[in-house]
Amino acid sequence: MPRAGVTPERVVEAAARLADEDGLEALTMAAVAAELGIRTPSLYKHVDGLPALRRLLSLRARRDLAAVLAGAAVGRSRGDALRAVAHAYRQWASASPAAATAVQPAPLPGDAEEVAARTEVTDVVFAVLSGYGLSEAALVDATRALRAGLVGWAVLEARDGFGMARPAEQSFDWWLDALDSALSRG
C-alpha cells in the first residue's frame, strides 16, 4: 500500500526540486525516494521508473511554460508580445533550470499527452509571431529561431557564459530589438 501523503504529484514536485538543485541528468530514483522519506522500491508504487518520472517532469514543465508564456503575451502584440514572452522565458528558465532542460527534447512519437503539452507552448509562440503577418513557413522558421536564441541564452546565462563588461540584460534587449526588426520586415 502506498505511503500516506505520497502521490505521483508529490513525487514529481520532489524530483523537480532535486533536478533544479543537482541537474536533471543527476536525478535518480534513490534520491527522490530519500527526499520523500521512503524506500526506493516504494517509489515504484507511484511512478514506473526513471524514464516515466522524466516524462512526468517534461509534461509538468511544458504545461508550466505554456502558462508562463501565455500570461506574458496577454494583451500584447508584435514587439511588445515578443519581448514579454522572451523575458518571461528567461525568468522561468533561470528559476527552473531542470524544467528548461526537460522541455527541450521532442516528445516521443505516439505520446499524445506530451505532444499536446508541447503544442500548448508552440500555440502561444505561433500566436505571438503570427502578429508579424508571416507566411506559414516563415512562422516555423521564426519559432525555431526564437527558441534557439532563448535556449542558447538560458544555457549561457546558467553557466556564467557572459563574461564581458556590458550587462547581459542590455545585450538581450539588443537581440530582441534585432529580432523584432527582422520579423517586421517579413
Side-chain angles (χ1 to χ4, degrees):
M1 168 169 261
R3 182 177 176 166
V6 178
T7 64
E9 294 79 18
R10 286 208 46 230
V11 170
V12 172
E13 287 172 15
R17 273 193 312 277
L18 289 171
D20 277 341
E21 291 171 11
D22 302 326
L24 188 60
E25 295 306 315
L27 186 66
T28 66
M29 295 291 280
V32 175
E35 176 78 5
L36 292 168
I38 62 175
R39 295 180 329 125
T40 303
S42 299
L43 190 56
Y44 287 87
K45 296 175 184 171
H46 305 284
V47 65
D48 292 332
L50 191 56
L53 181 55
R54 287 181 187 276
R55 178 185 174 273
L56 291 172
L57 285 168
S58 173
L59 284 168
R60 176 184 169 171
R62 290 176 198 277
R63 290 176 179 140
D64 183 47
L65 178 57
V68 165
L69 298 182
V74 169
R76 294 181 165 91
S77 64
R78 293 182 61 110
D80 283 344
L82 175 68
R83 286 174 186 82
V85 163
H87 282 283
Y89 177 86
R90 186 174 172 208
Q91 290 172 347
W92 175 82
S94 176
S96 306
T101 300
V103 300
Q104 296 317 314
L108 294 173
D111 189 334
E113 193 175 15
E114 263 206 284
V115 169
R118 180 191 62 188
T119 301
E120 289 178 38
V121 175
T122 55
D123 284 351
V124 173
V125 176
F126 282 175
V128 166
L129 295 176
S130 68
Y132 288 96
L134 303 172
S135 69
E136 189 173 325
L139 184 60
V140 170
D141 294 341
T143 299
R144 288 176 174 160
L146 178 60
R147 179 181 183 207
L150 290 173
V151 170
W153 195 276
V155 167
L156 287 168
E157 201 159 41
R159 295 182 180 158
D160 295 321
F162 295 120
M164 297 177 164
R166 181 172 167 81
E169 185 66 33
Q170 290 176 351
S171 297
F172 189 72
D173 288 337
W174 178 91
W175 171 67
L176 289 173
D177 289 344
L179 185 58
D180 177 45
S181 178
L183 292 170
S184 294
R185 287 192 304 270

